[in-house]
Amino acid sequence: MLGTKIFTISLLFALAGFGAWPDYFPLQPGNQWIYRCTGPCAAEPQVVEIAKWDVFDGKLYWLLKGFHGRETWLRMEDDGTLSAYDPESKRESRWYSFFASEGETFGTSVDPCSPVASIASNRTTYAGPVGEYGHALSVVYRPGGCADAGLSREFFLPWIGLVH
């Protein structure tokens, strides 16, 4: 009986935490995502992972390897902004504003051909290789200055990360 009470209390605390701000880009070392590509890039899956952490200018960052074929130092701010840090220039730039209001635009440096994004919805239905979910975050991009290049839409799942 005591074990059941402890389990129930633990479950309630876990569910209460689930109602907190969702983590759309989990930065714990060892996290790994494997993406398959269609079209000309379909030869090999793209492996993206959080490799390690380090401190720059007094702030904690995690090294993301393999995203768009490069390494990027990232940190999540309390307001849901995912920022990238360049150790050479010692400059930080915004990648995502996960907790922006729906329709609110924000500048992004995640892709040079897609410099402006917005949250289309944080309750989008997503169906793909990882299953079907009704609480995906949909980020849409305005066309940038590159002809026929750049991002158009991405989907994130809470505590899982980028799924499409």
Side-chain angles (χ1 to χ4, degrees):
M1 188 68 163
L2 178 62
T4 303
K5 287 181 183 178
I6 292 172
F7 172 77
T8 303
I9 292 169
S10 299
L11 180 61
L12 289 173
F13 279 117
L15 290 175
F18 189 77
W21 294 108
D23 186 358
Y24 289 110
F25 212 112
L27 295 173
Q28 295 76 21
N31 284 356
Q32 186 178 72
W33 301 268
I34 301 172
Y35 299 102
R36 67 174 186 226
C37 183
T38 58
C41 59
E44 299 216 8
Q46 181 179 6
V47 178
V48 177
E49 66 181 326
I50 304 296
K52 62 182 180 177
W53 61 269
D54 206 341
V55 176
F56 300 99
D57 297 328
K59 296 176 184 172
L60 184 62
Y61 292 86
W62 290 266
L63 181 62
L64 179 68
K65 291 177 129 184
F67 194 71
H68 293 284
R70 62 182 186 246
E71 294 184 353
T72 307
W73 290 97
L74 300 172
R75 77 177 176 99
M76 185 68 73
E77 298 177 39
D78 290 339
D79 67 355
T81 299
L82 183 66
S83 297
Y85 180 74
D86 179 3
E88 290 180 25
S89 68
K90 298 189 183 307
R91 297 191 67 196
E92 195 175 69
S93 62
R94 176 180 29 214
W95 263 27
Y96 297 101
S97 290
F98 289 119
F99 304 148
S101 301
E102 288 183 10
E104 179 183 344
T105 61
F106 56 89
T108 174
S109 64
V110 73
D111 183 291
C113 291
S114 307
V116 179
S118 64
I119 303 298
S121 173
N122 59 13
R123 295 174 305 280
T124 298
T125 298
Y126 168 78
V130 297
E132 185 171 334
Y133 301 88
H135 57 277
L137 178 81
S138 173
V139 177
V140 294
Y141 294 85
R142 289 187 180 170
C146 306
D148 297 330
L151 301 171
S152 57
R153 178 181 297 260
E154 293 176 314
F155 294 95
F156 294 85
L157 289 176
W159 298 279
I160 294 174
L162 179 65
V163 292
H164 181 91

